[in-house]
Amino acid sequence: MLIIGLLSVALMMLTQETSLGHDKLADLHDRVFQLIDSQDESKLGRFTPDPLRYAFSPKSRPHVGGMSAPLSGDAGQNVLFSVLNSSTVSSAPRCLYIHIPFCRVRCTYCNFFQYAASRERIDAYFSSLLLEIRLKAVSLWAQSAPFDAVYVGGGTPTDLSSSQIQQLGEVLRRSFPLKADCEITLEGRINRFDDDKFEAALAGGFNRFSFGIQSFNTQVRRAAKRLDDGDAALLRIQQLSKQQEAVIVIDLLYGLPHQTHDVWLDDLQAYQESGAHGVDLYQLLHLQGLPMQTLIEKGRLPEPANSHERAGMFAAGVRAMNACNDYRLSNNHWARTTKERSLYNSLAKGHAEILPLGAGGGGNVGGIQWMQHRDIKHYQDDVLKQRIPTGMMSRQPSHVKAFGLLKSGFDRGVFSALALDGHDGEGITRFDALLPLFNEWQRRDLVNVDENSMTVTLTLAGQFWAVTLAQIVLDVLQPSMEMPKVA
């Protein structure tokens, strides 16, 4: 059964932050009925006996997006410096994200690749990263409240040396106030992640490791340019999981070339045999312009699974996890034990404030969101000048926290009216205005609506299309919300 958490705070937040008058709610009501009258299948979904596969056109985005207003130049730097040097404490959870933008090999499906790993390049970058940590850690904002979770991602953070991994963990723990149960994750691959690196990471304070296995099938792995055979990957995860010093989780990707439905079932079985404490099941998306697409076009790789086939793989994944009694933390993540919380991922999809560090890192603090320079030279130059190395920056809308909780609700499989509550003085709520849309989705077997508790729970098909459904709700709501001002 899908683990859910009702979003009882989110609509109250919307009421407090951006209360709507009668006219705006009436406008929202009218837009919903216009949408229904239009019978726009891209918003309502198709009537089909198989909504899991055919309710919408193939999913094109992995995450839900919202609106923001760009900031640039010195004005943006001044705003961000002001935010980081404020001791104002938000009630939102807070996280650290540290980006290591190096990989020894580019996976053929990956659009995150930035730089090929070399020892000289990594060493120079690591020095700049330590300097940025020192500069940001002394800010009033950073010291004003403890952090719930830390995530070191990439790239391939495990391409750092053993001493660098340990030093990074120690510096983060020494520099920032962390909660006693803070989740500290190191992302990477099992290739060359030997016992020396594992022990160094444990000594540095890392208590969770996330490995991008993607598949245990050697042919599938080779096509994706994953290093090591499937048997070697399985053995290493088994070795790490048995030690029990930290949480071990893996990513599995479905829809890859050579990955038939039967191969996917074998991957799910291998996860059970691995002893890993948790798993993320993701579908293959966005091949445009990537090496895998080029190889497919040249006939060197077979076509990957289409959207309908991936939907079947998703359903098989849900059945397999239910059969082994793993408990569900979100639409895509399962845990074998309570030690696995997937805390950073769940907070980042909600309304957490995230302080980014490193080239290509992204986050948000005090209503300002930014992506740091992806270009290492620009990043290093800004750090040396004690500037915040921002590549893109924008101001979030005042209701961003509530929208974050709405997105989190869809990710967990339930959407609460209390996440929408804003009334016109006559008892009319956003839930009331949106109810006709939810009922249309219920007619298409995408959701179940409970008008007594005012909740919308996603069906299996709705879980597969959760990002699509969440984006539709946000798109319908946004015209009635206050836009952030451009600085």
Side-chain angles (χ1 to χ4, degrees), residues 94-358:
R94 45 172 62 189
C95 305
L96 290 172
Y97 176 79
I98 302 91
H99 195 69
I100 309 296
F102 302 103
C103 297
R104 285 188 295 109
V105 175
R106 180 179 185 177
C107 299
T108 54
Y109 58 83
C110 182
N111 60 358
F112 295 109
F113 179 84
Q114 288 178 252
Y115 295 98
S118 72
R119 182 49 50 201
E120 180 180 2
R121 181 178 283 168
I122 290 176
D123 290 348
Y125 175 80
F126 192 71
S127 296
S128 298
L129 178 61
L130 293 179
L131 176 57
E132 186 194 8
I133 290 172
R134 289 196 294 272
L135 292 172
K136 284 184 176 174
V138 298
S139 68
L140 289 175
W141 181 87
Q143 295 298 321
S144 63
F147 289 81
D148 297 86
V150 177
Y151 196 97
V152 180
T156 310
T158 51
D159 279 348
L160 296 174
S161 68
S162 297
S163 61
Q164 287 171 334
I165 291 173
Q166 181 172 343
Q167 184 181 6
L168 178 59
E170 291 172 343
V171 167
L172 291 171
R173 292 168 62 214
R174 185 170 62 245
S175 302
F176 294 96
L178 307 182
K179 288 187 174 180
D181 63 346
C182 182
E183 177 189 272
I184 309 176
T185 301
L186 181 69
E187 182 184 83
R189 65 174 88 209
I190 54 98
N191 183 263
R192 296 189 184 179
F193 189 72
D194 56 18
D195 288 346
D196 182 57
K197 282 192 176 182
F198 185 49
E199 291 166 5
L202 293 173
F206 289 98
N207 54 30
R208 183 176 183 269
F209 297 82
S210 178
F211 295 101
I213 297 298
Q214 316 313 352
S215 175
F216 288 102
N217 181 280
T218 297
Q219 184 182 29
V220 174
R221 291 176 61 81
R222 294 300 185 206
K225 285 291 181 75
R226 301 301 292 176
L227 302 172
D228 296 314
D229 290 346
D231 289 344
L234 177 58
L235 177 61
R236 188 58 180 146
I237 294 299
Q238 289 172 333
Q239 292 170 339
L240 294 170
S241 300
K242 285 179 180 178
Q243 298 190 43
Q244 299 298 320
E245 284 97 341
V247 173
I248 306 296
V249 299
I250 65 172
D251 291 347
L252 292 178
L253 191 61
Y254 57 93
L256 291 161
H258 297 299
Q259 191 184 40
T260 64
H261 193 88
D262 286 341
V263 169
W264 174 237
L265 294 179
D266 290 341
D267 283 333
L268 295 169
Q269 179 60 37
Y271 157 67
Q272 293 300 322
E273 297 171 4
S274 74
H277 306 114
V279 63
D280 280 293
L281 308 182
Y282 295 120
Q283 63 173 309
L284 180 68
L285 294 172
H286 301 307
L287 288 182
Q288 291 81 4
L290 298 179
M292 182 172 283
Q293 182 188 38
T294 302
L295 293 171
I296 292 169
E297 290 173 349
K298 291 181 177 179
R300 296 169 59 185
L301 283 179
E303 290 285 342
N306 60 35
S307 178
H308 309 150
E309 293 166 332
R310 294 197 303 272
M313 290 175 161
F314 171 78
V318 174
R319 288 194 298 270
M321 295 302 105
N322 289 341
C324 64
N325 295 319
D326 282 18
Y327 65 94
R328 200 169 187 178
L329 299 177
S330 73
N331 288 329
N332 301 307
H333 190 84
W334 283 262
R336 192 189 304 267
T337 74
T338 55
K339 293 188 346 182
E340 164 53 358
R341 297 176 293 163
S342 191
L343 190 57
Y344 176 86
N345 289 332
S346 63
L347 294 177
K349 291 176 181 177
H351 69 291
E353 293 187 299
I354 301 172
L355 181 64
L357 297 152

Side-chain angles (χ1 to χ4, degrees), residues 38-47 55-56 444:
S38 73
Q39 290 298 298
D40 184 350
E41 291 184 339
S42 70
K43 299 293 191 294
L44 303 178
R46 300 185 184 97
F47 278 111
F56 294 99
R444 291 159 174 81

Side-chain angles (χ1 to χ4, degrees), residues 415-435:
F415 174 86
S416 169
L418 294 176
L420 289 172
D421 196 10
H423 58 80
D424 64 356
E426 299 178 7
I428 306 300
T429 66
R430 292 187 183 91
F431 186 85
D432 294 323
L434 289 167
L435 187 57

Side-chain angles (χ1 to χ4, degrees), residues 43-58:
K43 299 293 191 294
L44 303 178
R46 300 185 184 97
F47 278 111
T48 168
D50 190 357
L52 173 69
R53 292 172 174 82
Y54 301 109
F56 294 99
S57 297

Side-chain angles (χ1 to χ4, degrees), residues 376-391:
I376 286 183
K377 186 178 186 308
H378 288 165
Y379 165 78
Q380 291 173 321
D381 287 346
D382 271 0
V383 171
L384 284 174
K385 294 174 183 175
Q386 299 192 16
R387 287 172 55 87
I388 300 171
T390 55

